[in-house]
Amino acid sequence: MKKKALSVHAKYTIGGVLFGLSFPVFSQFIDAWLNNIDYSLANIMLLHQQNVIHYVVDTAPLVLGVAGYLLGATHQKKNNINNRLRKINESLDTLTYKITHDLRGPALNIKNLSEILRINPGQMPEDKKTEVINRINESIDTWLLTFEDFMTLLKHEKSGELEKKECSLERIAENVKQELANDIEKSQATINLKFDQAPTAYASEAYLNSIIKNLLSNAIKYAHSERKPEINISSEQKFNQVQITFEDNGSGIDLKTHGDKMFTLFERFSTKPNIQGSGIGLYLVKEQIEKNNGNIEVKSIPNEGTIFTIHLPITT
């Protein structure tokens, strides 16, 4: 079993206490040496009682321990900021590449298809015109979807402290169902909600809305081709946390192949050309959950379905 490393706070605090312990010991021996007294425990204890300065020096471990803790807190905060900036820079580098790649493709398609319409406006059969126009609309939809995903990612990366509160899971899930009403109707999906065992979670409402929306839309998007999607979203209390479960009967994910990349930015697991996506959704879900002091787990069987399990605080 892998040992858990000490936190920066603990290391600095322990260091301060150990360093502070050297002061009382050193002062006792110096006092004994100056008074030409043997270094016996009885003599040292007698000197300690006779000289009040030793009682002051005895506080050194406490004082330096507190100082170490405060220094550790400052150092930890600095490390967190540096790690956050490094992560943002890495994300933005990847984002820059993806923007030039993913937005340029649909734009070139629109340009080329428009050129076809411009060159042969009168000679082109009506059915061919309709096909070209439909393809232009598809490219525009892809471009807009990709653009919206990138804007969502940028907004997330720039976000700072979150405003957290007790959020009604039922209300947020119903709002998301309204937002995705067209997709739900088109896919003929059945959405079952059950939040009576743990009706609330302590989190950012905006992030919780985004988490539920991403997971629900993914469950609809990656539905199995031979059955209508059925999605169960439920919650229950586990100690001081609320456990939110998303279970679907979709196409599933091969975790042996994709498990370590599940929540990586710009990773996609479907090779079907008719499924649009930019590989941002699950990355955002994990980031948003962790910003709310939670975690997420996934279980999946290909061709059977997937279960996402989220743990979030119930209260502060």
Side-chain angles (χ1 to χ4, degrees):
M1 188 176 178
K2 190 177 179 181
K3 292 182 178 178
K4 189 176 180 180
L6 286 173
S7 67
V8 174
H9 292 76
K11 289 178 181 177
Y12 275 77
T13 303
I14 292 170
V17 170
L18 292 177
F19 182 57
L21 285 172
S22 67
F23 282 78
V25 174
F26 184 69
S27 68
Q28 290 284 171
F29 278 100
I30 289 293
D31 198 5
W33 176 70
L34 291 174
N35 290 280
N36 294 318
I37 295 174
D38 293 336
Y39 298 124
S40 67
L41 180 59
N43 288 336
I44 288 175
M45 292 298 293
L46 182 62
L47 281 174
H48 188 282
Q49 293 172 4
Q50 292 175 345
N51 193 342
V52 71
I53 193 67
H54 292 302
Y55 291 100
V56 177
V57 176
D58 285 348
T59 63
L62 175 62
V63 173
L64 292 179
V66 172
Y69 176 84
L70 295 175
L71 185 61
T74 303
H75 191 71
Q76 182 66 62
K77 189 174 182 181
K78 181 181 177 182
N79 281 348
N80 290 343
I81 292 172
N82 288 338
N83 289 336
R84 178 68 178 160
L85 289 174
R86 177 180 53 78
K87 193 171 183 180
I88 289 173
N89 285 334
E90 289 174 356
S91 297
L92 290 179
D93 286 342
T94 310
L95 182 62
T96 302
Y97 168 78
K98 291 293 288 183
I99 286 175
T100 57
H101 180 271
D102 289 5
L103 292 184
R104 188 169 180 268
L108 286 174
N109 281 342
I110 294 168
K111 182 179 184 299
N112 293 335
L113 291 167
S114 300
E115 191 69 12
I116 292 172
L117 288 177
R118 188 183 69 82
I119 293 173
N120 302 305
Q123 302 174 4
M124 187 179 294
E126 286 301 317
D127 59 337
K128 187 67 176 177
K129 281 184 183 179
T130 302
E131 181 187 346
V132 171
I133 291 170
N134 287 339
R135 289 176 63 185
I136 289 174
N137 286 332
E138 287 174 6
S139 294
I140 291 171
D141 288 342
T142 301
W143 195 95
L144 288 173
L145 178 65
T146 304
F147 179 78
E148 287 171 6
D149 282 346
F150 287 153
M151 291 306 295
T152 301
L153 178 62
L154 284 173
K155 185 178 179 181
H156 167 77
E157 295 294 355
K158 289 177 66 178
S159 64
E161 292 296 319
L162 301 180
E163 181 184 346
K164 300 176 186 178
K165 62 180 182 179
E166 274 198 6
C167 300
S168 167
L169 297 174
E170 181 91 31
R171 181 174 57 80
I172 292 174
E174 288 292 350
N175 288 343
V176 169
K177 282 178 64 179
Q178 290 297 319
E179 288 183 59
L180 300 176
N182 289 336
D183 293 335
I184 293 170
E185 184 178 354
K186 191 181 297 184
S187 65
Q188 296 182 297
T190 301
I191 316 293
N192 302 311
L193 305 179
K194 190 174 185 297
F195 299 118
D196 54 300
Q197 293 187 36
T200 63
Y202 185 77
S204 158
E205 186 168 329
Y207 273 15
L208 197 51
N209 185 89
S210 175
I211 291 162
I212 293 175
K213 184 177 180 180
N214 266 309
L215 291 178
L216 183 54
S217 62
N218 274 0
I220 296 170
K221 186 188 298 183
Y222 298 104
H224 197 282
S225 58
E226 296 178 2
R227 54 181 175 260
K228 295 175 183 178
E230 183 173 345
I231 303 146
N232 299 309
I233 310 174
S234 61
S235 65
E236 60 180 312
Q237 186 170 341
K238 294 285 187 179
F239 302 104
N240 62 337
Q241 290 188 315
V242 56
Q243 177 179 292
I244 307 169
T245 304
F246 289 76
E247 183 175 1
D248 67 56
N249 64 342
S251 54
I253 304 165
D254 184 353
L255 294 179
K256 289 182 179 178
T257 304
H258 303 296
D260 58 339
K261 300 176 183 177
M262 276 293 299
F263 302 101
T264 303
L265 186 59
F266 300 126
E267 285 290 337
R268 298 194 64 212
F269 313 115
S270 175
T271 56
K272 297 178 181 178
N274 61 319
I275 297 180
Q276 295 180 330
S278 55
I280 289 175
L282 286 180
Y283 166 82
L284 280 180
V285 165
K286 184 172 184 290
E287 287 284 305
Q288 290 169 341
I289 290 170
E290 290 179 349
K291 276 195 170 186
N292 283 284
N293 303 317
N295 60 72
I296 183 169
E297 302 164 1
V298 58
K299 294 178 182 178
S300 189
I301 300 175
N303 296 315
E304 290 191 22
T306 303
I307 301 174
F308 285 97
T309 306
I310 299 169
H311 297 94
L312 288 170
I314 292 180
T315 64
T316 54

